[in-house]
Amino acid sequence: MINIRKYEEKDKELLRDICIKTSRLPIETDDQRKFLTLMYNDYYTEVESENCFVAVDENDVAVGYILCAENYSRYSKIFRKFYLPEIKKLGMNYYVMAIGEMAAHMLYSKKYPAHLHIDILDVCQGQGVGTRLMNELKNHLKNKRVPALMLSCGGDNTMAVKFYKKNNFKVIKNLAGSYIMAIDL
């Protein structure tokens, strides 16, 4: 049985591990692992942990998560100050990737101020866990009066695109093979 609960500090390393295990990027070096966790995990669990939810098994071990920054402007200021310099130390290619993704979110941040990252281990996919995580986050954001939510997704990630559409996200832009998808709350 998979349960959904708020993020707890004890989950941090497991969420980093899930981030790496579920990545579609090739992971062969410590720098690649560090980039993934800096870009898609650490800011959210360290700065906005109140907007993070975890799917756990019967032993309370994380098997998936949904992480959210509820306000792009705040996210951008903190991320640029503390996380982007660490990414830049990993190499210019990582820095350019990070800036590119941030720019894509910035383009739509006035209308869709919140953005998310969701990852679930393969063994738990197809069981409704993602939808439960998504519903938990959407309800949480509605209660906080956050008006809308967005994400970016590889255009070739057909399973993810199908999942987001099932959860009422719409493609608002195709940018260089990636989709920007969003939903009004």
Side-chain angles (χ1 to χ4, degrees):
M1 177 72 175
I2 304 297
N3 292 310
I4 309 299
R5 63 165 170 74
K6 296 283 272 175
Y7 168 81
E8 298 173 8
E9 184 63 30
K10 71 178 185 172
D11 301 317
K12 187 171 189 163
E13 289 306 317
L14 281 174
L15 270 55
R16 283 178 168 164
D17 190 50
I18 292 168
C19 179
I20 292 164
K21 284 180 178 174
T22 59
S23 174
R24 297 189 57 186
L25 298 173
I27 309 301
E28 299 166 357
T29 68
D30 287 341
D31 284 354
Q32 290 166 329
R33 285 185 275 284
K34 181 82 169 162
F35 169 73
L36 284 173
T37 58
L38 283 167
M39 188 72 205
Y40 302 112
N41 198 284
D42 293 354
Y43 165 85
Y44 308 92
T45 59
E46 293 171 0
V47 180
E48 295 197 49
S49 62
E50 72 278 7
N51 297 320
C52 301
F53 297 90
V54 181
V56 295
D57 65 14
E58 61 278 353
N59 297 312
D60 200 40
V61 174
V63 296
Y65 60 79
I66 193 165
L67 312 176
C68 178
E70 72 179 71
N71 179 291
Y72 179 84
S73 180
R74 176 179 183 242
Y75 158 81
S76 179
K77 286 175 189 163
I78 296 170
F79 193 86
R80 286 177 187 277
K81 183 174 182 179
F82 297 103
Y83 297 87
L84 201 53
E86 294 302 311
I87 289 172
K88 192 172 186 178
K89 288 178 189 175
L90 298 173
M92 193 53 69
N93 57 331
Y94 295 114
Y95 181 74
V96 169
M97 285 176 25
I99 292 292
E101 185 154 333
M102 290 181 72
H105 285 247
M106 183 194 64
L107 291 172
Y108 304 98
S109 64
K110 287 203 188 310
K111 185 170 182 179
Y112 306 101
H115 71 273
L116 71 87
H117 296 287
I118 183 172
D119 287 305
I120 301 162
L121 293 175
D122 289 347
V123 297
C124 295
Q125 291 185 12
Q127 301 174 31
V129 174
T131 297
R132 290 173 55 208
L133 283 165
M134 191 68 74
N135 289 338
E136 191 74 29
L137 178 63
K138 287 191 284 189
N139 289 332
H140 172 75
L141 293 175
K142 284 178 193 176
N143 288 336
K144 293 179 94 172
R145 300 198 171 161
V146 174
L149 176 63
M150 73 171 149
L151 59 93
S152 60
C153 176
D156 63 342
N157 191 346
T158 55
M159 294 294 287
V161 171
K162 182 179 174 182
F163 166 76
Y164 296 129
K165 286 181 175 181
K166 178 183 142 204
N167 282 278
N168 300 314
F169 282 77
K170 306 272 188 267
V171 175
I172 58 172
K173 189 70 174 175
N174 184 342
L175 290 173
S178 289
Y179 291 137
I180 303 297
M181 302 182 77
I183 186 171
D184 291 318
L185 299 173

